[in-house]
Amino acid sequence: MNLFLSGRMFRFFPFLLPILFLFSCYNYSSNRIVTTPPTLVGITLIGTGVYELRLRAGNPEAFFSGYTLYSGNTADASRNPSDFSSGKECELPLNMLPNQPREYSIEVNPTDGPLAVPGPGENTNRVCKIIATLNSGDYVTLRSSVISLDLNSGTKDIYVFSMPSNTLQVP
């Protein structure tokens, strides 16, 4: 009995194809994922101590985890913190995954709670809320983060940070 003429091959082929793709995949890397830093567009005071931080970002990474805000007295202090754990993270879960080439915003608010409803003139593509107190004259920088898995050693780093974004001064 000929396998190709009997029609059995057509029933078997959908199961065989994924197996062939799995074993023929040789284009992988054991290096850590490098995520793209966002581009800060502007920062606006939208309430008492509440700021809207506008950014452009495209994060198609499967393990994208969010953004971390760093602030300092100088641009260099916010771009190069002495300790990466000093940053303020987005409150999870993210409101939306910023993976399209459009402008997003982050609410920076000193008080806990849900995201505020965007008012007139504010960006409706609000990604998340960062609980932090900003003062006029501070410098702010964002870094993207991804969850990193090291297949060689079997370990997991909680976050791997991107290079810093551009820096803005709080009005």
Side-chain angles (χ1 to χ4, degrees), residues 67-69 87-92 128-131 159 161:
Y67 297 105
T68 305
L69 178 76
K88 305 294 183 184
E89 300 173 5
C90 277
E91 295 297 308
L92 298 177
C128 66
K129 179 178 184 175
I130 295 178
I131 300 172
Y159 297 113
F161 292 104

Side-chain angles (χ1 to χ4, degrees), residues 35-40 53 55 57 59 64-72 77-81 83-92 94 98 106-108 127-132 134 139-147 158-167:
T35 184
T36 308
T39 301
L40 297 179
L53 187 59
L55 62 131
N59 296 291
F64 176 73
S65 159
Y67 297 105
T68 305
L69 178 76
Y70 295 94
S71 62
S78 71
R79 290 178 61 81
N80 303 302
D83 183 14
F84 282 110
S85 65
S86 66
K88 305 294 183 184
E89 300 173 5
C90 277
E91 295 297 308
L92 298 177
L94 296 174
I106 294 175
E107 178 184 336
V108 182
V127 176
C128 66
K129 179 178 184 175
I130 295 178
I131 300 172
L134 297 178
Y139 291 87
V140 293
T141 303
L142 279 179
R143 288 180 184 255
S144 300
S145 59
V146 293
I147 297 172
I158 299 299
Y159 297 113
V160 175
F161 292 104
S162 70
M163 295 299 291
S165 69
N166 56 319
T167 302

Side-chain angles (χ1 to χ4, degrees), residues 29 41 52 59 70-71 73 76 109 128:
S29 172
V41 176
E52 179 187 52
N59 296 291
Y70 295 94
S71 62
N73 296 332
D76 188 57
N109 195 327
C128 66

